Structure formats: C-alpha cells, structure tokens
Amino acid sequence: GATAFPWRPMRSSPWHKTAVADGRDGPTPPSMAPEMASAMGAWAIRQAATIAAFIYRIYHATLRVRLLLPNGTMIPADEYPPDREIFALCEQDALAVAGLIAGTGCTVLVTIGRDGDRASALLERLGCRVVRGSSRLGGAAALKGLLDALRTSNGPAAIVVDGPLGPAGEAKSGAVACGILADRPVHAIAAAARFRMVVPGTWSGIYLPLPFSKVAVALDEKLPIPEPADPDQADGLSKQLTIRLQVLRRSAEAAVRRANIFRSTTSGF
C-alpha cells in the first residue's frame, strides 16, 4: 500500500516558527494551529494591500480629476490644499475620491469586519490614518476613537456618512457630531465619473471610474453650525447634509459632461 509520511514543516515555514515559539518539539499541522492560520490571514491581507495600493496609485494617475469649488471655480484636484476639515461623503463615491486623500495623512473611519480589515490595510498603505469603528456596532466608541485620533492630527478626516448599511445617500449624525466635538469644519463632497463600473450587489452602488476617465469632485461650503455648537444639533444638521450631498452630486454630474474643463488636466500624487 501507499506509504504515509508524517507532515513536517520546513524550518523557515510559519508553522515551524510557531512551534518553536510555543516550545513544541513536533510538527504543528495547520489544523492544529488556528492562531497561525489567523496570523497568516493577516499577513496575506497586508501583502495584498501593498500590491493593491501600488496598482491603485498607477490607476488613479490615469484619471483626469477636477475639483469644483463652492464658488464655481474648477481646479486640478491635486492643487487643493487639505486642511483640518472633515470631508463627508457617501459610500458610492469612496473609490472615486480615495486617491485624492492619499498621502495627506487623512484620518478615516473604517467599519469593523473582514471587509474593513482589507480596506484598512489598503488605506494605510495609501498614507491614511485608520480608525476602526461603526455606527452599527458601538457608535459612541467609534466617535471617541475618531476624536482621539483627530486631537493628534492637523490633517483632514474623511467619513462615509451613509454607511455601513445605508440607506444610500442618507447622512447619519456621526460626521456632524465629530465636527462639533472636534471643532472642525464639515464639508460635504460628492463625485461623478464620465465612464465608470458599478460594483454589482452593493447597497450603495459604489463605483470605480474607468482608467483615463474624467472625474468631477464637487466640494461644498462648510456646513453652517449655529453657535454655540451643541452635539444635540447633529441630527437636524445631518438632514441638511443629506440635501447638500444630493445637490453636490447633481453639480458633479453636470460638470463631468463639460469637456472643456478637462483639457490638459491630469491628476497625480
């Protein structure tokens, strides 16, 4: 009959290193090392994120991106100097605007879970500061973590206001509350791409602009917050934010159809 050989990991393999670290003499098959499987999964996510970030930078450099300012002026998106503002966006536009915050030290809130693990690894390699949390799973803790991070940062922040499960385009109160408590201006932001691919099966209709596409990103005036600012105003102001996002999206869609504003313009990092 067939000869059965014992499973013996190479000395350089992760399983062998785990066995040595744990003081075990014999081989440790994968089925007996759940902690090693978890470690290897995290390692795989990090490696995949490094490759994805490299590819995304190359891809985003092909896009022709213009920023529509509140006064109607159009400028190359990479000429806008981000400050201490909080950008409030819908998940639908997340892939379209991610390249604009790369390398700015932007603080972003990423949901908890496997998808969030992948997104966090990618955003960190794009130069963002990641805070994990969700309005659905411990919203107060997520807000506290975001505020703690902003206290040590002079860069911008970006918050997806309609996540993690929608309804699409409907702003929740977290971004406004964060702006009030952190004493930072909140700017609604929306995008549109001339040619795009919508990710199938998503609640938000998130899309990816096709390479070499024209992309218009509309930036709003800061959300007017009455003085003295009070976090209890967040719910009412979030309704205003929802309306502003809808108006901005229409402005971005109109701008992306104006071919003359994209001449001799290429985004970059």
Side-chain angles (χ1 to χ4, degrees), residues 180-213:
I180 293 173
L181 294 172
D183 193 23
R184 292 188 176 217
V186 177
H187 292 269
I189 190 170
R194 187 69 178 87
F195 300 102
R196 64 182 190 174
M197 179 186 69
V198 178
V199 179
T202 59
W203 62 265
S204 64
I206 189 170
Y207 64 90
L208 184 72
L210 296 181
F212 304 100
S213 293

Side-chain angles (χ1 to χ4, degrees), residues 1-71:
T3 302
F5 293 94
W7 185 88
R8 296 188 181 278
M10 295 184 296
R11 299 185 66 84
S12 59
S13 73
W15 293 290
H16 180 272
K17 293 177 181 178
T18 299
V20 172
D22 293 346
R24 299 192 296 267
D25 295 330
T28 306
S31 60
M32 295 177 62
E35 71 282 0
M36 177 51 61
S38 177
M40 288 197 66
W43 177 86
I45 289 176
R46 291 193 298 270
Q47 298 306 308
T50 299
I51 297 171
F54 176 75
I55 294 173
Y56 185 86
R57 287 177 182 273
I58 296 174
Y59 148 78
H60 194 271
T62 72
L63 301 178
R64 291 178 288 172
V65 186
R66 295 284 275 187
L67 185 66
L68 176 61
L69 299 178
N71 62 5

Side-chain angles (χ1 to χ4, degrees), residues 6 15 18 43 86-87 91 98 114 128 137 152 252 260:
W15 293 290
T18 299
W43 177 86
I86 295 175
F87 297 120
E91 181 175 288
R114 289 187 178 181
C128 297
L137 300 172
T152 61
N260 60 309

Side-chain angles (χ1 to χ4, degrees), residues 137-254:
L137 300 172
L143 179 59
K144 181 180 182 304
L146 192 56
L147 291 170
D148 290 343
L150 292 179
R151 290 191 186 97
T152 61
S153 171
N154 288 320
I159 300 177
V160 172
V161 296
D162 57 351
L165 295 175
E170 184 175 306
K172 298 180 176 64
S173 60
V176 177
C178 183
I180 293 173
L181 294 172
D183 193 23
R184 292 188 176 217
V186 177
H187 292 269
I189 190 170
R194 187 69 178 87
F195 300 102
R196 64 182 190 174
M197 179 186 69
V198 178
V199 179
T202 59
W203 62 265
S204 64
I206 189 170
Y207 64 90
L208 184 72
L210 296 181
F212 304 100
S213 293
K214 302 168 184 176
V215 180
V217 180
L219 177 69
D220 196 14
E221 294 276 6
K222 70 177 182 179
L223 188 68
I225 298 177
E227 296 290 344
D230 185 345
D232 291 338
Q233 301 169 330
D235 287 336
L237 290 170
S238 65
K239 295 178 181 178
Q240 293 186 34
L241 183 57
T242 296
I243 296 173
R244 286 170 175 257
L245 286 166
Q246 294 170 352
V247 173
L248 282 178
R249 184 169 306 284
R250 289 194 291 269
S251 297
E253 290 171 348

